[in-house]
Amino acid sequence: MTRKSALWLRGLAAAGALFFSLGAANADPIRIGIANFGEHPQLNAAIEGFKQALTDNGYEEGKDVVYSESHTNFDASLVPQMIAKLQAEKPALLFTVTTPVSQIAKKALAGSGIPIVFSAVTDPVAAKLVPSMEAGDEGMTGATDLQDIAAVMEFAKKLVPGAKRFGQPYNPGEANDVALLEKVKEVATNAGFEVVEVGVDNVNDIQQRIASLAGKADVIYTPSSNLLQPAIAAVAAAARQAGIPIINSDESAVNDGIVPASLAVNFHQVGMNAGKIAVDILKGADPKTIAPVNPAYEDHAPRISRKVMAEFGLTIPDEFADCGCIAE
């Protein structure tokens, strides 16, 4: 080979490398669909946490990844349409928020090749999203918002000394709520509580159903229910009339002066747990080999409103004096 030919080939190789480099730099960002049930502080925090996990792992929004977000304002009848719209955009992955959205997405995307990562799901096994908590299913896995109910009951005992009857409203039509009720019953005996359950399947029935707990419950725990949380102000108003303090699963209602206290899962962390799973899947992992992730004990935090406690005729016990969790 002549020196001139060698130089020409070397130049051609360099040009090819430059072309490949520019092509890679200008590659289209990965598209991820986000299917949410509705606008709510907890669910929004899960989405923020999900994005944060991807950013932390090198997926810069707008450059490496773009998100298509949609929600149905808690209207389950519109979820299939939302999923179809997101599927048509051919995302590399779909992030689903809440049990109803995840259940519908699983059926709609079966065999599509689009992996699904769920979040804000209390019991993915009961919801038939995964076969067990030891493994994902075909094309699906995710992160739960399962609260440590034993910790909630311990907190209730400290906040309302002498409380023995644990009021548990729930939506019979929501898998998350039913699964949580079963967990409450499971833990109650060892915690020294009698469970007083009340089904609420329509927001118009909240006043009547919560009022029915008057004289029957010493404290009420409101779960991260897709029916109860958006209507927490109505739940709290009915509980106030019944004279029963509420421990909520979301601290924003405490900060807003609606309920006396909360012991809440950090939904931003729940979203981050899901985001870390999504990163693994984007890098080639099979969802079926990834076990769903539960929040750790340290992912829970108490919050107490001094003002609302007083409105319920309660004072904050001294042991919370230095908790750093009191909203004035």
Side-chain angles (χ1 to χ4, degrees), residues 224-302:
S224 56
S225 163
N226 291 312
L227 184 146
L228 296 172
Q229 284 303 322
I232 191 63
V235 176
R240 192 183 306 245
Q241 288 180 6
I244 311 170
I246 284 180
I247 294 175
N248 197 38
S249 57
D250 173 24
E251 72 167 27
S252 63
V254 181
N255 297 332
D256 293 341
I258 297 172
V259 301
S262 67
L263 188 74
V265 166
N266 183 331
F267 271 73
H268 187 272
Q269 184 60 50
V270 170
M272 286 196 72
N273 291 343
K276 291 172 186 176
I277 291 172
V279 168
D280 289 340
I281 293 172
L282 292 173
K283 290 181 177 179
D286 184 346
K288 199 171 184 177
T289 66
I290 303 174
V293 178
N294 286 330
Y297 178 81
E298 56 270 20
D299 293 337
H300 297 69

Side-chain angles (χ1 to χ4, degrees), residues 99-230:
T99 298
V101 173
S102 301
Q103 289 173 318
I104 293 171
K106 182 178 183 181
K107 290 180 181 178
L109 268 61
S112 70
I114 300 172
I116 302 171
V117 176
F118 60 73
S119 182
V121 169
T122 299
D123 189 337
V125 178
K128 298 182 179 178
L129 299 178
V130 294
S132 74
M133 288 302 293
E134 282 70 55
D137 203 355
E138 193 69 44
M140 174 176 260
T141 188
T144 82
D145 61 5
L146 182 65
Q147 285 199 287
D148 188 324
I149 297 301
V152 172
M153 291 187 171
E154 182 181 346
F155 177 63
K157 287 276 188 184
K158 292 177 180 177
L159 187 71
V160 187
K164 295 181 179 179
R165 300 170 298 176
F166 195 86
Q168 186 61 61
Y170 73 105
N171 178 4
E174 188 172 335
N176 268 5
D177 288 27
V178 174
L180 187 102
L181 175 63
E182 292 308 310
K183 187 67 177 176
V184 166
K185 290 178 178 178
E186 195 179 295
V187 173
T189 302
N190 287 340
F193 271 113
E194 171 197 347
V195 177
V196 184
E197 64 185 82
V198 59
V200 184
D201 53 13
N202 190 303
V203 291
N204 296 323
D205 294 334
I206 286 174
Q207 170 64 38
Q208 178 186 353
R209 301 293 172 81
I210 299 300
S212 72
L213 293 174
K216 299 177 183 176
D218 303 312
V219 64
I220 291 172
Y221 174 63
T222 43
S224 56
S225 163
N226 291 312
L227 184 146
L228 296 172
Q229 284 303 322

Side-chain angles (χ1 to χ4, degrees), residues 7-164:
L7 288 172
W8 181 80
L9 286 172
R10 200 175 303 153
L12 184 63
L18 177 62
F19 178 80
F20 179 81
S21 174
L22 288 172
N26 293 323
D28 291 336
I30 293 168
R31 179 173 296 279
I32 292 179
I34 298 179
N36 190 10
F37 203 16
E39 292 283 346
H40 184 273
Q42 288 176 317
L43 307 185
N44 295 343
I47 293 172
E48 290 166 8
F50 177 83
K51 291 181 178 180
Q52 183 65 55
L54 268 84
T55 299
D56 291 349
N57 282 275
Y59 291 86
E60 182 181 336
E61 186 172 358
K63 178 184 175 184
D64 306 299
V65 62
V66 292
Y67 301 101
S68 293
E69 297 185 48
S70 188
H71 72 82
T72 66
N73 199 28
F74 298 100
D75 187 339
S77 68
L78 298 178
V79 173
Q81 179 182 335
M82 172 178 66
I83 299 299
K85 176 178 174 293
L86 291 170
Q87 181 182 4
E89 296 177 2
K90 299 181 179 178
L93 181 143
L94 184 67
F95 177 49
T96 57
V97 187
T98 74
T99 298
V101 173
S102 301
Q103 289 173 318
I104 293 171
K106 182 178 183 181
K107 290 180 181 178
L109 268 61
S112 70
I114 300 172
I116 302 171
V117 176
F118 60 73
S119 182
V121 169
T122 299
D123 189 337
V125 178
K128 298 182 179 178
L129 299 178
V130 294
S132 74
M133 288 302 293
E134 282 70 55
D137 203 355
E138 193 69 44
M140 174 176 260
T141 188
T144 82
D145 61 5
L146 182 65
Q147 285 199 287
D148 188 324
I149 297 301
V152 172
M153 291 187 171
E154 182 181 346
F155 177 63
K157 287 276 188 184
K158 292 177 180 177
L159 187 71
V160 187
K164 295 181 179 179

